[in-house]
Amino acid sequence: MESIGTSGLTFRKMHGAGNDFVVIDSRGRGAVTTPALARALGDRHRGVGFDQLAELRDADNADLTLDFWNSDGTMAGACGNATRCVAALVMRESGQQALRIRTARGLLEARLEDGQVWVNMGAPLTDWQEIPLSHAVDPLHLPLAGDPVGVGMGNPHCVFFTPDAEAVALEVRGAEVEHDPLFPERTNVEFVSLLGPDHLRMRVWERGTGVTLACGSGACAAAVAAAQRGLTGRRVRLDLDGGALIADWRDDGVWLTGPVADVFTAQIAPEFLEAL
């Protein structure tokens, strides 16, 4: 493994339905990501730009460990699209058709089914303390304007159902709800419209990042919330700004699939790293 300090830092750029990631492979060495590095790389003007950074690390009793970072330098507990992208990459390199991936969310399973990479994002968290919320309320009817649903998927999510997701001032409303006192760890915010019995339109604001073209854990949360409200079944297609995802709430967890793109591999210059 090459020395980061003298020869730069190799990374991949990937995206899942427009939800874009910097992927750093640190297997065989120690983790390299710090809050300062995440902020610098996340700057779309002076760095690389990403919605999340995913760092691969070695794992005991799993195929790999994944850490997730937001562009503001905070860590994320889960990232469904990045997990799918990394799983597709590792499967392609190794020839494996199933992986066990350790994350802050827990041990996640990825499988290749009919040419699609599916990731089990785990069982949804529907207790107010697990989401988490600041005090005891009914997660199915949060005490906020718009009557949203609270769901935990490793990240907290606040899901609003609205007649027209396109009409929502996402930059304004998303930022307001992210920092509402009801969410002690802040929250992702989804605005969802019902298009059909198992078809949703979703737009998303991610905590620590802002507006993104897609969000895998958010798609899972929206699917769970729609099923809980009796709007859909447990398997739904979600149309996001960057493409379509499928979330399937099965007995063993919420499974997620969708498109994966490996865009390029490049290297961060040593001078950039030394300036941090």
Side-chain angles (χ1 to χ4, degrees):
M1 187 69 65
E2 59 193 14
S3 170
I4 293 173
T6 59
S7 57
L9 175 61
T10 300
F11 70 95
R12 286 180 184 267
K13 190 71 184 287
M14 305 186 75
H15 77 84
N19 195 189
D20 68 327
F21 315 104
V22 161
V23 178
I24 297 174
D25 189 350
S26 291
R27 291 174 294 178
R29 68 180 178 203
V32 301
T33 307
T34 63
L37 178 61
R39 286 192 297 270
L41 292 182
D43 188 321
R44 293 190 184 273
H45 300 286
R46 298 178 178 87
V48 178
F50 59 75
D51 292 331
Q52 274 81 35
L53 182 153
E55 184 170 17
L56 288 69
R57 297 191 291 111
D58 294 317
D60 295 326
N61 302 317
D63 292 289
L64 69 148
T65 295
L66 266 182
D67 296 330
F68 305 110
W69 295 79
N70 297 313
S71 57
D72 68 353
T74 59
M75 295 194 77
C79 186
N81 285 322
T83 304
R84 292 192 305 103
C85 285
V86 169
L89 176 66
V90 174
M91 286 178 181
R92 187 173 71 234
E93 292 177 346
S94 67
Q96 294 171 262
Q97 295 193 4
L99 297 172
R100 298 169 74 227
I101 302 172
R102 190 168 299 284
T103 72
R105 167 73 164 131
L107 193 61
L108 306 183
E109 181 184 0
R111 288 203 304 250
L112 188 64
E113 298 179 4
D114 299 323
Q116 291 283 104
V117 175
W118 287 80
V119 172
N120 184 353
M121 295 297 293
L125 305 176
T126 56
D127 180 86
W128 72 269
Q129 292 175 299
E130 295 179 323
I131 291 172
L133 304 175
S134 60
H135 59 280
V137 295
D138 179 5
L140 264 178
H141 297 280
L142 295 180
L144 298 175
D147 188 31
V149 180
V151 181
M153 288 299 311
N155 297 324
H157 293 269
C158 183
V159 182
F160 290 85
F161 291 100
T162 177
D164 184 6
E166 310 293 339
V168 174
L170 188 56
E171 295 84 352
V172 176
R173 190 70 178 123
E176 291 174 349
V177 176
E178 176 188 355
H179 295 280
D180 190 280
L182 184 60
F183 304 99
E185 298 179 4
R186 300 180 295 160
T187 187
N188 290 21
V189 189
E190 289 80 29
F191 295 92
V192 181
S193 299
L194 183 67
L195 299 182
D198 296 293
H199 191 185
L200 302 173
R201 170 72 171 107
M202 183 181 107
R203 300 177 67 210
V204 61
W205 173 277
E206 293 197 56
R207 65 172 181 173
T209 297
V211 176
T212 59
L213 297 182
C215 175
S217 64
C220 294
V224 169
Q228 287 180 315
R229 285 276 181 95
L231 301 174
T232 66
R234 291 166 66 105
R235 179 184 174 114
V236 298
R237 170 190 166 121
L238 300 103
D239 293 345
L240 295 100
D241 289 344
L245 300 174
I246 296 174
D248 190 359
W249 185 9
R250 306 175 190 175
D251 291 341
D252 60 347
V254 186
W255 288 79
L256 177 72
T257 195
V260 169
D262 189 359
V263 184
F264 63 83
T265 300
Q267 191 173 71
I268 300 295
E271 296 79 11
F272 182 91
L273 299 172
E274 291 167 2
L276 297 178

